[in-house]
Every structure is written in C-alpha cells, then in structure tokens.
Amino acid sequence: MHRTVSGGAAAVLMLGLGALPLSVARAQDLQSPTTALDAPEALFVPTPLTLGSATVEIGGAARLEYDSNIYAQAFGEKDDFRLLFRPYAELNRKGGAVAINARAEGDFRKYFRYDSEDAIGGKVTAGLNWTPSASDRLGAAASWQHIIEDRGEPEGNTLPSIGPRELNALDGDISYIHQGAHIGFMLRASASHFRYSKAIDANRDLDNVGALARVMLRVSPLMNGFVEGFASRRDFRQTPQAGELNRDSRTYGGRAGIAIDPGGTLRGEAAVGVYRFDPRDSRIAPRTRMSAEIGLTYAPRPRTAITLDGFVGNVATYRAGVQSREDMRFRLGVQQEIRHNLRGELGLVYRRSKYFGTSLTEKIYGITGELEYALNRRVALAANARWSKRDSTGALDDYDRTRVGLELRVHY
C-alpha cells in the first residue's frame, strides 16, 4: 500500500493543505507517511492488473490496535481495542500526453467495548494530467471524502457521550505548470466545501477558495529558485448571532524558496515568507506572521531516506472567544530498508497551536515507529506504535496517549 512519492509532490500537496483547516486535513494523524524509499530490491510492491489500456491495483489493510486514551482526555482515560479495515482500488491510465487516475478507499472502525466510537468513512478521488509538451503540464483533480475526526485534534471532541466528529468534504483544484530552459511559472486554484454530519457542529461548516502563483528560475539542472504569492478566503456558512464574532477571513502572503525535482540525494521543496491574516470582523486584529512550507527528502543511500515536513500558517478556529489560530507543525522521519523484505520507520512530531485573543497555547509531541515484514509481493505484516502528549496552558486540554497495533497488508 505504500508508494514512492517525490519530495516535490509532497510539497505541492502541503501547499494545498496550507489553506485548509488542519483538523480537516488530518495534520494530527501521526501515522507513518508514504514511503520515500527507492530501494531497488523492495519485495512488497504492487503488480497491477491490466484492464484494457489501464492498470488496476486492489488492496487494503486490516489492523488490530490498542488505544490507551480513546477520548484524548486529561482525566478519567478510557482504553479499548479496535479493528480498522481500509480497502482500496486504484485505476491508472496513461495514453500519449494524457494520464488519468481514480481511487476509492474505505475506512471502517469497530471498537470492542465503546461501540459509540464505531464509524465508517471513505474517500473517492479522480485526477487528470495533460502534458502537451515537455515544458507544459495541466492538471485537474477532485475528491469527496467522509472524514472521521481524530479525538486528539486541537479543538477536537472529547465528550464520551457524543461519537467521533464526522464531516463530508469536497475538494477540487486546477493547476498549470510551465518550465522553460531558465524561467518557469505555476498557477494553481483550489476550492473546498466542508459540511459536518451533526447539528451540534453546524458552526464548523465552511467554504474555502484559494490561489497560488509561482515564478521559477532554473539555477541548476536539478534546482529551481522561486518566489510565490498566495491568497485564500474562508467563509463560514452559519451567520453569526448577536455578540458573536464573524469568523470569515482572507489570508494572503508570499514566500521564497527552492525546489529540487527531479532530485537525487536531496529532493523536495522548502519556502519561507510571511502571511497576512485579514479578518472580516473589525473586533479581530489583523496580523502579519511568518509563513513556511517544507517537504524535503534526503536519501544518502538507496535503502535509507530522511524526511522533513513542516508548515507554519493561519488555520481555522472554532473555539469561543478565540480570534484566530496559528499552527506550527514539523515531522522528522527516518525510513530504512533493513533487508529486501523488512522495512523500518521512526518519526518525531512537534506541533504548536497558538490561539490569539486568549493566552491559550497547545503543544503536541509525538513519536511513531513501524516495522513492515513482507511475506511476498502481495502480503505484508506490520507492527506500529504511536505515542503522543499534549501540553496546554489549559489544564483540561492536556493528555497522554499510546497506540500500538498489528496490521495485515495486501495488494494486487
């Protein structure tokens, strides 16, 4: 189920997530990222089925997991075992200058004791890339997703009497990239539509539109320097009542950075700049703060990869009395092919959520680990563990949480 993704692709994905509420984008999910290894002798790799001019990959994962604090509570923690089943099917077709991708996946969760936590989610995505020349690429993508929010999210639901928060998300984007011999540019527009399942969460429903423009300068055969500008608009569906803050806002800014893709030992993107948060409500102070995006992979050897992902920027907030929120998130990971059929990962996670208008600040620390043993090309077993701790200036927001699991992975 793991795929090789270039650092550049990961960074482009992060650009999209930067304009979204990070709780929706699952930034708190501490699962291991997609593998960055390019090991030539890796055993557990898919062998897609041929369907006419397309290929189809079918697979899934079944995990038995123990969670020491299923509600992510500071006191009175409840533990439980759960079963997770995540099947998927993916279709790819490439003919000439056009490549098409479609994927459907499910997310089924069953708890042993606390069945109010049982949930069903899923995602359907489709994308098209048209490459009319070696210098130009036009892409379009759309997705629908039923998301089950993690209990450990900042501003997440910790009430045992209410099941996990769920929502439907529609996303779409279109992009155009031109890379000349020395100068290039990229344009990207995106839109998102979030609707929560329960009436109690109606104040979280929002729409988001964004745009990004980048100018690139080729400084070497493998590296571009670039400057970019971005803007997004966040509109909440619910009209504020008398005395409530209007949380609609605009965010815009610019960054400068480097992109290494295609790369060798080092690949990916890194950029730093500023963003301007411009709220619609005059009672909320506008702010200019640092903006950063990082998605880098360092592979000193074919069987070793070190990854660094990061984000600093404004995100949506739903807390009463809070004017705005800024997240800083970084993940440092090491991936190693120990043998051709044994792969290991270790990750360190740090996240800070700063709430303006109050003295509230939350910091999350996490450690992730995984060992995957491939029985053959189609079947693998994995053992994984995640530990996370949140320290907050609000005592009731603290928690410690440990999750360990055994997983069966299959694909064709």
Side-chain angles (χ1 to χ4, degrees), residues 351-362:
R351 175 172 175 171
R352 186 204 68 188
S353 296
K354 182 177 178 61
Y355 297 85
F356 295 95
T358 72
S359 60
L360 182 62
T361 299
E362 296 176 343

Side-chain angles (χ1 to χ4, degrees), residues 266-346:
L266 182 66
R267 60 185 185 269
E269 297 186 359
V272 65
V274 297
Y275 74 84
R276 175 71 172 177
F277 170 67
D278 186 12
R280 184 171 180 179
D281 197 312
S282 61
R283 294 171 293 177
I284 303 176
R287 290 180 177 83
T288 301
R289 304 273 295 180
M290 183 180 74
S291 172
E293 298 276 2
I294 301 172
L296 293 172
T297 298
Y298 173 62
R301 295 179 295 276
R303 293 173 174 81
T304 304
I306 301 171
T307 59
L308 176 62
D309 298 292
F311 166 85
V312 181
N314 175 264
V315 299
T317 183
Y318 315 97
R319 281 185 182 267
V322 171
Q323 296 181 356
S324 63
R325 172 178 145 203
E326 178 187 83
D327 275 12
M328 175 186 293
R329 176 176 60 88
F330 292 97
R331 186 187 193 281
L332 177 65
V334 179
Q335 302 178 12
Q336 176 69 46
E337 185 189 68
I338 303 166
R339 295 173 56 87
H340 75 285
N341 61 346
L342 183 63
R343 181 183 58 84
E345 296 183 15
L346 181 65

Side-chain angles (χ1 to χ4, degrees), residues 8 23 40 75 78 91 99 132 146 151-152 178 186-187 221 242 293 376 378 386 400:
S23 59
F75 307 100
K78 302 293 189 299
L91 180 144
H146 185 75
R151 289 284 195 170
H178 171 79
M186 177 178 73
L187 303 172
E293 298 276 2
N376 52 50
R378 302 187 187 278
R386 291 173 283 169
D400 289 275

Side-chain angles (χ1 to χ4, degrees), residues 176-188:
Y176 174 64
I177 300 175
H178 171 79
Q179 179 64 68
H182 301 289
I183 301 292
F185 63 86
M186 177 178 73
L187 303 172
R188 183 177 185 269

Side-chain angles (χ1 to χ4, degrees), residues 7 76 98 100 120 218 242 257 269 283 306 358 391 411:
V98 178
I100 298 173
I120 298 176
R218 180 68 76 180
E269 297 186 359
R283 294 171 293 177
I306 301 171
T358 72
D391 290 331
H411 60 206

